[in-house]
Amino acid sequence: MPYIERYLKVDSEFYQRFALTTLLHYYCGAEYADYIFDSIKRADTDYYYVHMAAAWLVAEMLVKDYQNTVNFLLQTPPDKKTHNKAIQKACESYRLSAEQKTYLKQIKR
C-alpha cells in the first residue's frame, strides 16, 4: 500500500491512473474498501485517464462489495461524471442483478 500511495500523491495523470488500476487488479475487495474509496476521493479525476480508472474501480467494487459501494456513492460520491460513468460501467456488467442495475440507474446524477 505505501507503494501505491506514493503514486497516488503525484500530480500526474498516469501515475494516479497506475495507482488506481493497481488497486483494481490486486486489492479490489471488501477488506480494502475504505482505502479504495479514500483513494478515489483524493484522485484528480479532471484527468481523463484518472477519471476512467476511478469509474472502472467503482464499478468493480459494486460487483465485489455492492452495498458498501452504494453507500459510498450516496454519502461521499466522486464528482458527477465519475459517479455516472461508474454506474454506466456497472450496468454493462453481467455480474450484477437486474434489480441492482435498476437501482443504480435511479441514483445517477
Side-chain angles (χ1 to χ4, degrees):
M1 291 294 203
Y3 182 76
I4 294 169
E5 187 66 28
R6 182 173 60 195
Y7 287 98
L8 191 60
K9 289 180 179 180
V10 177
D11 185 24
S12 168
E13 181 171 12
F14 294 101
Y15 280 84
Q16 288 185 22
R17 179 184 183 275
F18 171 78
L20 294 177
T21 57
T22 301
L23 289 172
L24 172 73
H25 292 296
Y26 297 103
Y27 297 97
C28 193
E31 63 273 20
Y32 298 107
D34 291 337
Y35 183 76
I36 287 171
F37 299 147
D38 181 58
S39 297
I40 291 167
K41 287 189 286 189
R42 292 183 294 130
D44 186 354
T45 56
D46 287 334
Y47 291 125
Y48 174 78
Y49 289 104
V50 175
H51 151 71
M52 292 303 288
W56 187 15
L57 183 54
V58 171
E60 197 62 29
M61 283 300 293
L62 282 163
V63 171
K64 305 282 183 170
D65 188 12
Y66 180 80
Q67 194 55 55
N68 198 16
T69 307
V70 166
N71 291 341
F72 165 70
L73 288 172
L74 293 173
Q75 294 170 5
T76 54
D79 63 277
K80 181 180 176 180
K81 69 179 181 177
T82 303
H83 174 93
N84 289 339
K85 181 59 76 174
I87 290 172
Q88 176 191 338
K89 287 179 157 304
C91 288
E92 292 169 354
S93 171
Y94 295 109
R95 297 176 293 165
L96 292 177
S97 70
E99 295 82 22
Q100 290 172 322
K101 291 177 185 182
T102 299
Y103 180 73
L104 289 172
K105 289 176 186 175
Q106 292 172 1
I107 65 169
K108 269 187 128 173
R109 296 192 273 155

